[in-house]
Amino acid sequence: MAEQHRPQRLDQPREPRGFRLPRIDPEAFGHWSEGIARGMGTAMFIVYMTVVIGIWLGWNTLAPPDWRFDPYTFTFLTLVLSLQASYAAPLILLAQNRQTDRDRVALEEDRRRATMQKADTEYLAREVAALRIAMGEVATRDFLRSELTRLAEELDEANERRQRLERRQQDRVPQRGRSGDPLDEPRDDG
C-alpha cells in the first residue's frame, strides 16, 4: 500500500527532517558548568595550573631533545591554554547566567515577601488606629480613679449636709422637759 500523504496545515510548524542532535538536559549541563567554574575560580586551580605549566616548561626546556613533546617555542602549550580559555569562558558565562537567574528568582521572592509584609504592617497599623479610637471611648484607669474620687467627695458632701440638717432639726425641736410637759418628765412606777 502506498503511504498516504497528510495535507500540510499552515497553523502548525513542520516536523524537522534529517539529522537530529541529541538532547542535553540544560539543568544537568548548567550544574556541571557551575562546578567547573567554581573549581576554576579557586586559588588551588591557579596553583595547580602554575605547577603544570612550570613542569611543562621545565620538561620541554631541560629534557633531552628526544623526550621533548613541545620543542618549538611552546606552540602546543599555547594551543592547550587557548583551548582551555575557549572552553572556560563560555562555562563561566553559563554559570554566571544561572546565578543571575537564581538572583532574579530570589529578588522576586523577596519583593513578594516585602509586599506581603507591607500589607500585614498596614493592616496592623489600621487595627492599632481602630483600637486607639475605641480606647478613646473606653474609660481608662485614670478616668475611673478621678470619677471615683469625685463620687466619694460628693458622697462625703452629701453626708455632711445630711448631718447638718439633722443637727438643725434637733436644735429646732423644743425641749419639752423644760416647759413642764408631763410626758417629758421621768416616771416613778415603783
Side-chain angles (χ1 to χ4, degrees):
M1 239 181 159
E3 184 179 321
Q4 291 184 358
H5 183 65
R6 255 186 354 176
Q8 288 186 349
R9 294 185 57 177
L10 296 177
D11 62 338
Q12 293 179 350
R14 274 198 265 174
E15 293 180 16
R17 296 181 191 169
F19 181 71
R20 291 185 185 175
L21 293 174
R23 297 281 179 186
I24 298 174
D25 181 20
E27 191 64 30
F29 188 77
H31 186 66
W32 177 73
S33 69
E34 283 178 344
I36 291 175
R38 193 173 295 117
M40 292 178 82
T42 62
M44 289 305 295
F45 176 78
I46 294 173
V47 169
Y48 290 150
M49 190 66 156
T50 304
V51 168
V52 166
I53 291 174
I55 291 171
W56 188 300
L57 292 174
W59 182 268
N60 286 299
T61 305
L62 303 175
D66 295 340
W67 289 9
R68 295 178 189 168
F69 55 88
D70 192 10
Y72 302 109
T73 62
F74 306 106
T75 308
F76 189 51
L77 175 64
T78 306
L79 178 65
V80 168
L81 290 177
S82 64
L83 182 67
Q84 177 204 3
S86 68
Y87 275 98
L91 289 175
I92 291 170
L93 287 174
L94 179 62
Q96 286 177 343
N97 288 341
R98 286 174 52 88
Q99 183 62 42
T100 302
D101 291 343
R102 278 194 299 271
D103 290 344
R104 185 175 16 82
V105 168
L107 181 64
E108 289 171 3
E109 180 66 20
D110 289 344
R111 194 173 291 141
R112 186 186 65 79
R113 283 185 183 169
T115 303
M116 287 175 50
Q117 287 177 347
K118 182 179 178 184
D120 289 346
T121 303
E122 288 174 354
Y123 171 76
L124 289 175
R126 286 191 303 271
E127 289 296 314
V128 167
L131 285 174
R132 285 184 177 167
I133 290 170
M135 287 298 294
E137 298 169 1
V138 174
T140 62
R141 182 177 50 191
D142 294 335
F143 174 74
L144 286 176
R145 254 190 215 139
S146 65
E147 288 298 308
L148 288 174
T149 303
R150 187 181 59 78
L151 285 173
E153 289 172 358
E154 286 179 10
L155 287 174
D156 288 342
E157 289 174 5
N159 191 24
E160 288 176 14
R161 282 193 305 258
R162 189 179 46 81
Q163 287 175 356
R164 277 186 268 152
L165 184 61
E166 286 177 359
R167 272 189 248 132
R168 284 187 204 151
Q169 287 177 353
Q170 286 177 357
D171 289 344
R172 288 186 187 164
V173 173
Q175 293 184 356
R176 293 186 175 184
R178 291 183 190 162
S179 63
D181 189 5
L183 293 175
D184 288 341
E185 293 179 7
R187 290 187 182 173
D188 253 347
D189 289 336

